[in-house]
Amino acid sequence: MKPAVVVAGTRPEIIKMAPIIRALNQAKLPSVFIHCGQHYDYNMSQQFIENLELPMPDFYLKIEASSPGAQTAEMMARIDQLLGKIEPSIVLVEGDTNSVLSAALAANKRALPVGHVEAGLRSFDLRMPEEHNRRLTDHISEYLFAPTQRSRENLLKENVWGKIFLTGNTAIDAVNQHLPLAEKKSCILEKIPFEEFALATAHRAENVDDTAVLEAFFDVFKKSPIPIVYPMHPRTRKRLQENNMLAQMEKLKGVFILPPLGYLDFLVLMKRCRLIITDSGGIQEEATAPSIRKRVLVIRLSTERQEAMEAGFAKVVGTDKNQILSAIEEAVSKEEELPCVSPFGDGTAAEKTVEIIKGSFA
Ligand code: UD1
Ligand code: UDP
């Protein structure tokens, strides 16, 4: 078999591709790992390769462009060159970032089959660059690995031409594979100055690039009825700095700001926290893993992970500060029993995906 190319460019792609890379190795299928450099800081990139005990990428691209369009174009051109040399059987991409779209387009222009891991998610919120990236990628993919029945139906409704396979989401595989190690190795809890806390993250462009929303989040953190542990994404750090809000946020007594954390530390915080407040996609999935089982307040206007809502884990609370604060108050005032099964599968998504690749190309 010609090698399968696995492309990852950002933190969540490295995490969710890790089980696929491992399963390809276990099945003894040849693969080439391209890190296409959208995330480049050690703590947004290399630390995940180390935490997840992945092989070093065969190619690690350094991208100079900064605007989203130039970034996508530069990644596409660089990946195109590599695909010309590698001549892979399939190009695997995961999720909805600019990296994903650029790799899918590069493969498509070389008439190579694209396999889209986590296909078929839809937020129906066209303000989000991710919604465009995932729709475009789904429509040029020959293999669509849908994590849930709902995502499969989204793809069927849009008449995609590729073959659809129901696999589950590799986010659950990754939690299952790494939480035991995280609990042994991570010392993060020693640093946390609170007994009980909510774990918060925020980085969505439509949130933190909007000063009014950024200010609302600041007020929520200031007035939260429960202390907040907040590993801060570099995009958000930059926006807080530009708006002269970072120093004020650092002074808030009930908020403990951390740099972007490694996966093992983050897993331990998810397991230990009382509640998660986030605009992340992947975290909405991880919170449903049977070993985590946490309520998530989604600080957005929509979600493409409706399954997490239907199962009772997640609630979309919008970006209005009063609404978010009432949701936090409600969540901390009552304990709610959560399901023991994740709507995103049983942790065998990577195995299923690789079985399909093996059946088609080996
Ligand atoms: C990207 C994805 C988003 C995903 C997120 C995961 C797109 C459109 N967005 O958003 O879907 O949820 O990654 O975290 O692809 N920066 C650094 N160091 C880094 C990376 C980024 O400082 O290692 C800063 C830079 O100022 C950069 C900004 O963050 O301009 C935004 O980075 P970018 O990769 O464009 O988007 P994210 O917000 O990270
Ligand atoms: N994560 C992490 N450290 C952090 C914040 C998040 O390891 O400080 C992990 C988290 O467990 C999840 C992924 O990063 O697997 C989510 O990434 P992000 O929220 O940046 O992107 P999204 O999922 O929204 O695309």
Side-chain angles (χ1 to χ4, degrees):
M1 172 184 158
K2 289 196 224 162
V5 159
V6 176
V7 181
T10 65
R11 163 169 84 181
E13 293 161 67
I14 301 170
I15 294 168
K16 289 179 178 175
M17 278 302 203
I20 301 260
I21 294 174
R22 205 163 294 128
L24 284 166
N25 288 343
Q26 275 163 4
K28 301 203 171 13
L29 298 183
S31 63
V32 174
F33 177 16
I34 301 179
H35 187 311
C36 62
Q38 180 172 343
H39 284 172
Y40 43 87
D41 288 345
Y42 171 83
N43 59 21
M44 293 300 286
S45 167
Q46 178 63 27
Q47 81 164 328
F48 295 98
I49 291 169
E50 292 167 16
N51 283 178
L52 291 138
E53 297 175 350
L54 290 174
M56 277 303 284
D58 298 285
F59 300 95
Y60 216 133
L61 305 182
K62 192 169 181 310
I63 300 300
E64 309 283 344
S66 56
S67 80
Q71 178 194 54
T72 308
E74 192 180 334
M75 288 190 288
M76 181 185 166
R78 302 281 301 279
I79 295 168
D80 172 62
Q81 283 174 356
L82 292 177
L83 296 182
K85 283 190 213 145
I86 302 165
E87 296 183 10
S89 51
I90 183 166
V91 176
L92 295 170
V93 297
E94 188 287 326
D96 53 23
T97 64
N98 292 342
S99 302
V100 171
L101 179 62
S102 63
L105 281 170
N108 178 262
K109 296 293 170 204
R110 284 193 176 266
L112 291 166
V114 176
H116 190 195
V117 177
E118 200 183 271
L121 277 64
R122 296 292 180 265
S123 68
F124 305 98
D125 181 347
L126 295 174
R127 297 172 309 149
M128 298 177 67
E130 293 84 356
E131 182 71 0
H132 298 276
N133 290 341
R134 58 171 87 95
R135 282 171 185 254
L136 291 164
T137 303
D138 282 337
H139 284 268
I140 53 171
S141 292
E142 194 166 322
Y143 293 79
L144 295 134
F145 303 108
T148 64
Q149 188 56 32
R150 176 191 281 270
S151 45
R152 184 174 169 272
E153 278 160 20
N154 286 338
L155 294 168
L156 289 171
K157 272 187 221 150
E158 289 179 20
N159 289 317
V160 293
W161 62 271
K163 295 182 272 289
I164 307 169
F165 303 90
L166 189 58
T167 55
N169 195 304
T170 59
I172 306 298
D173 305 26
V175 172
N176 291 353
Q177 290 169 14
H178 295 282
L179 187 62
L181 181 70
E183 289 188 300
K184 252 191 230 147
K185 272 182 113 171
S186 166
C187 301
I188 190 72
L189 290 175
E190 291 166 19
K191 295 192 191 143
I192 306 297
F194 316 121
E195 256 311 297
E196 190 176 58
F197 60 88
L199 177 62
T201 78
H203 73 279
R204 290 274 149 220
E206 72 276 10
N207 279 343
V208 302
D209 291 4
D210 179 337
T211 310
V213 175
L214 201 61
E215 282 170 358
F217 288 178
F218 180 92
D219 277 354
V220 166
F221 287 6
K222 188 171 164 187
K223 295 185 183 148
S224 168
I226 180 166
I228 306 269
V229 172
Y230 181 22
M232 194 182 282
H233 191 283
R235 175 191 281 271
T236 313
R237 176 169 286 276
K238 200 166 142 189
R239 294 294 175 251
L240 286 166
Q241 250 158 358
E242 285 165 1
N243 288 283
N244 296 319
M245 289 159 74
L246 184 60
Q248 292 177 58
M249 189 173 276
E250 282 168 343
K251 282 189 205 131
L252 296 177
K253 291 227 161 27
V255 183
F256 187 60
I257 298 177
L258 288 158
L261 293 175
Y263 185 55
L264 302 185
D265 286 343
F266 197 78
L267 280 178
V268 166
L269 289 183
M270 276 197 291
K271 168 106 195 170
R272 177 66 178 70
C273 71
R274 176 73 199 282
L275 167 74
I276 298 172
I277 304 168
T278 191
D279 61 9
S280 163
I283 295 171
Q284 292 175 59
E285 294 152 357
E286 291 164 347
T288 71
S291 52
I292 306 265
R293 287 171 75 220
K294 285 287 145 55
R295 290 192 72 182
V296 184
L297 302 181
V298 181
I299 45 176
R300 286 175 42 184
L301 304 182
S302 64
T303 181
E304 54 294 306
R305 273 89 177 172
Q306 292 92 349
E307 299 86 342
M309 273 178 25
E310 287 157 3
F313 290 95
K315 190 169 174 196
V316 174
V317 297
T319 55
D320 173 80
K321 77 173 174 192
N322 294 323
Q323 272 176 9
I324 304 174
L325 279 169
S326 346
I328 301 177
E329 266 152 32
E330 195 197 328
V332 292
S333 66
K334 52 177 183 203
E335 287 282 349
E336 266 179 51
E337 199 49 38
L338 292 169
C340 295
V341 178
S342 168
F344 299 105
D346 59 2
T348 57
E351 228 174 86
K352 291 188 184 112
T353 305
V354 167
E355 231 5 81
I356 293 155
I357 294 168
K358 193 173 174 184
S360 308
F361 297 99

